[in-house]
Amino acid sequence: MQSFGYGSYGYRREVQQYLRIQVQTDNPKLYDAIHQRAHAYFDAKLGLSDAIEETIWITLQSDQVIALREKLYYLLHVDVGRGFDLLGKLFQSAQRMYLHGEAAILLKFADEVEKSTLSDHYKNQLAYYEAALEFAEGNTGSAETKLRDLLA
C-alpha cells in the first residue's frame, strides 16, 4: 500500500498488475464482471450520452474528468470497439484543444489493454495516436518514424 495523500491509499502499480493478471487468469468471468460493473458505475456517475462534444474538456468538473478516464479504461476492457471509438473522440478533442497531457493520459489507459487481444486495426490506431502526440509535443523526428513504421 502507498499513501496518495489526503487519507487516500492504494496498491502500488506492480501489485495492481499482479492482482489483475492473477484474477484474469484464474477467473476470467469474474474479471469481466468486475470491469463491466466498474464501467457501469463510472458511466452512471458521468451521466453522459455517447455523443461526445468537442468542448467536453472545458465543460467537465475535475471529478468528472477522472470519472471519464475511468469509464474509458473499463470500456476498453469490456468492449474494445466502443472503447476505441470513445478513445478516438476524446483523444482528438484533447489534441484540438491543445491538452496534450490529457491526450497522453488517455493513451496510457489504452496501453494497458492486453495487446494480444487487439486487432491490427486497433494497434495501428494506437500507433497513429502516439505519433500524433509526438508531433504535437514537437518531437517531429519520432513522430515521423512512427508514421513510417505504420506505412511499412
Side-chain angles (χ1 to χ4, degrees):
M1 294 286 267
Q2 75 185 56
S3 173
F4 294 113
Y6 306 106
S8 178
Y9 293 88
Y11 289 108
R12 294 190 184 278
R13 193 103 176 121
E14 298 82 11
V15 174
Q16 288 175 355
Q17 278 184 305
Y18 171 77
L19 292 173
R20 186 179 311 121
I21 290 168
Q22 187 173 10
V23 170
Q24 187 176 17
T25 303
D26 294 348
N27 195 339
K29 287 182 182 179
L30 175 62
Y31 180 82
D32 290 343
I34 290 169
H35 281 79
Q36 287 171 353
R37 287 183 71 189
H39 172 259
Y41 169 80
F42 288 109
D43 201 30
K45 187 171 181 173
L46 277 168
L48 296 176
S49 69
D50 283 343
I52 300 293
E53 300 292 324
E54 181 73 23
T55 58
I56 191 164
W57 298 111
I58 57 174
T59 59
L60 294 178
Q61 302 294 321
S62 61
D63 60 327
Q64 290 176 305
V65 170
I66 293 168
L68 183 59
R69 291 175 188 157
E70 294 297 323
K71 170 187 166 64
L72 172 65
Y73 174 83
Y74 289 107
L75 184 58
L76 284 165
H77 288 80
V78 169
D79 185 337
V80 173
R82 286 183 47 222
F84 267 84
D85 285 346
L86 180 59
L87 171 66
K89 291 174 186 176
L90 295 175
F91 180 84
Q92 290 171 7
S93 173
Q95 285 287 83
R96 286 187 192 113
M97 297 188 76
Y98 300 100
L99 299 171
H100 306 305
E102 188 61 50
I105 290 169
L106 296 172
L107 289 184
K108 279 190 170 201
F109 280 8
D111 242 4
E112 291 190 24
V113 175
E114 179 58 43
K115 299 295 183 275
S116 65
T117 65
L118 295 179
S119 68
D120 287 342
H121 172 73
Y122 294 130
K123 290 176 186 174
N124 290 341
Q125 191 174 346
L126 270 179
Y128 173 77
Y129 290 154
E130 289 169 359
L133 185 59
E134 290 282 337
F135 184 78
E137 292 175 340
N139 303 325
T140 54
S142 175
E144 209 173 299
T145 301
K146 287 180 180 189
L147 289 173
R148 287 183 188 189
D149 289 346
L150 267 176
L151 295 173

